[in-house]
Amino acid sequence: MDHKHTEFSSRFAIDPVAASAMGTDELRHHFHIERLFQPGLVSLTYTHYDRMIVGGAMPVDKVLPLEAIKSTGTRAFLDRRELIAVNIGGAGTVTADGLPYEMAARDMVYLGMATQAVSFASADPDKPAKFYLLSAPAHQTYPSQLIRIGDAKRLDLGSQATSNERSIFQFIHSDGVKTCQLVVGMTQLAPGSVWNTMPCHVHDRRMEAYLYFDLAEGQRVFHFMGEPDETRHIVMRNEEAVLSPGWSIHSGAGTSNYAFIWAMAGDNVDYTDVDQVTMDQLR
């Protein structure tokens, strides 16, 4: 296949025993994803965790097509997949089989299985859109749909006293847009709050991916992973993603507040179906 506008790589699944023996470079090689948003490119990472694909598309002055990749083994990218694109940049458009979805920052579009032609465009080359892409295998076609940030289900949780005051925006949930297995949402931490997902949890039946963004220049998020009694950390910059296998916790603390997009794929689409981890279990 000729991929003029696409670069992609694969990540094999890692078990918890192997991960516990890894140093910094190995952990980053297997779980950390950088360079998601490159001008004029679609960047895709095919993972062997529930076959989730994590990627980014950054159109500038030209339209970028979503090209098929060898890893999916299909003629079109979405022949046997569904996809969610979340815009974290300037205004842009996702066009699916001729139907344009105009998206502002933090809007999301769901594209169902069997969508054939997909492309990405920016409204202003000087303020390009940045589309965060998430795709998983699908077993049936659900209707494509645009969800604006104002239409997402909002939950305000936490407090300044525990440094985790936050707003959760659920794009995909049981009472909203239907998907085969993708569950996606966004969390915005309030100024002065830095912790996400603590107390933490695991869910062996679903993998998860985080994209950290809206992190100020020079700031970092320390993302925690691993089995509860064998934790590790990965230092995250702005607009970088991290993979979380079903056996791993996924939590983070920043040097300032930030936002992140969480996405899951696996056996169910129940956002609340998690196995809680107590503080006494953490090491």
Side-chain angles (χ1 to χ4, degrees):
M1 294 181 182
D2 182 19
H3 298 93
K4 295 181 179 180
H5 310 283
T6 305
E7 66 175 30
F8 65 94
S9 61
S10 295
R11 300 289 178 93
F12 291 104
I14 303 298
D15 69 87
V17 175
S20 69
M22 291 180 179
T24 298
D25 289 342
E26 288 177 295
L27 287 172
R28 294 180 73 85
H29 173 75
H30 288 289
F31 301 104
H32 175 250
I33 302 175
E34 58 185 351
R35 293 171 55 82
L36 277 166
F37 304 103
Q38 302 179 63
L41 280 178
V42 176
S43 177
L44 302 172
T45 298
Y46 183 99
T47 84
H48 288 259
Y49 301 108
D50 293 293
R51 305 286 173 174
M52 173 79 92
I53 293 176
V54 177
M58 187 177 174
V60 183
D61 56 351
K62 297 180 180 178
V63 174
L64 285 180
L66 180 63
E67 300 171 305
I69 58 175
K70 182 179 179 180
S71 301
T72 64
T74 53
R75 186 187 63 81
F77 189 92
L78 294 180
D79 276 350
R80 295 178 60 84
R81 286 182 160 268
E82 58 186 0
L83 179 139
I84 285 173
V86 186
N87 185 15
I88 65 165
T93 302
V94 175
T95 301
D97 290 341
L99 182 62
Y101 297 93
E102 296 182 358
M103 299 168 63
R106 302 192 175 204
D107 290 344
M108 183 216 86
V109 66
Y110 170 78
L111 301 181
M113 183 184 74
T115 303
Q116 293 300 294
V118 179
S119 63
F120 310 97
S122 291
D124 183 351
D126 294 326
K127 298 177 182 178
K130 295 178 180 179
F131 297 104
Y132 180 49
L133 308 178
L134 300 149
S135 177
H139 60 271
Q140 73 177 77
T141 299
Y142 285 110
S144 298
Q145 188 169 336
L146 174 66
I147 306 175
R148 302 205 179 277
I149 184 65
D151 298 327
K153 182 178 179 181
R154 177 170 176 166
L155 302 172
D156 294 315
L157 302 171
S159 71
Q160 285 197 338
T162 51
S163 302
N164 68 347
E165 184 180 0
R166 64 203 187 276
S167 297
I168 297 175
F169 299 88
Q170 295 179 346
F171 287 119
I172 303 295
H173 53 87
S174 58
D175 298 322
V177 174
K178 301 301 181 186
T179 69
C180 291
Q181 59 171 322
L182 285 173
V183 180
V184 178
M186 179 187 304
T187 299
Q188 174 68 62
L189 274 74
S193 288
V194 297
W195 274 102
N196 79 72
T197 327
M198 184 60 68
C200 58
H201 59 252
V202 297
H203 32 69
D204 190 56
R205 50 216 159 268
R206 295 189 307 276
M207 66 81 66
E208 189 156 359
Y210 274 17
L211 171 75
Y212 289 103
F213 70 106
D214 277 4
L215 185 63
E217 182 70 25
Q219 304 300 316
R220 299 289 185 268
V221 174
F222 289 74
H223 179 85
F224 298 101
M225 63 162 294
E227 292 186 295
D229 62 351
E230 193 73 46
T231 60
R232 300 292 186 269
H233 75 270
I234 295 176
V235 179
M236 307 291 298
R237 297 172 182 257
N238 188 42
E239 296 181 358
E240 293 182 342
V242 63
L243 301 174
S244 180
W247 48 263
S248 176
I249 66 167
H250 31 281
S251 177
T255 56
S256 70
N257 68 316
Y258 52 90
F260 68 101
I261 295 169
W262 40 270
M264 295 177 279
D267 272 335
N268 66 26
V269 292
D270 184 356
Y271 163 78
T272 64
D273 180 24
V274 300
D275 300 318
Q276 296 289 345
V277 174
T278 67
M279 292 297 187
D280 288 340
Q281 291 175 277
L282 291 173
R283 291 179 54 192

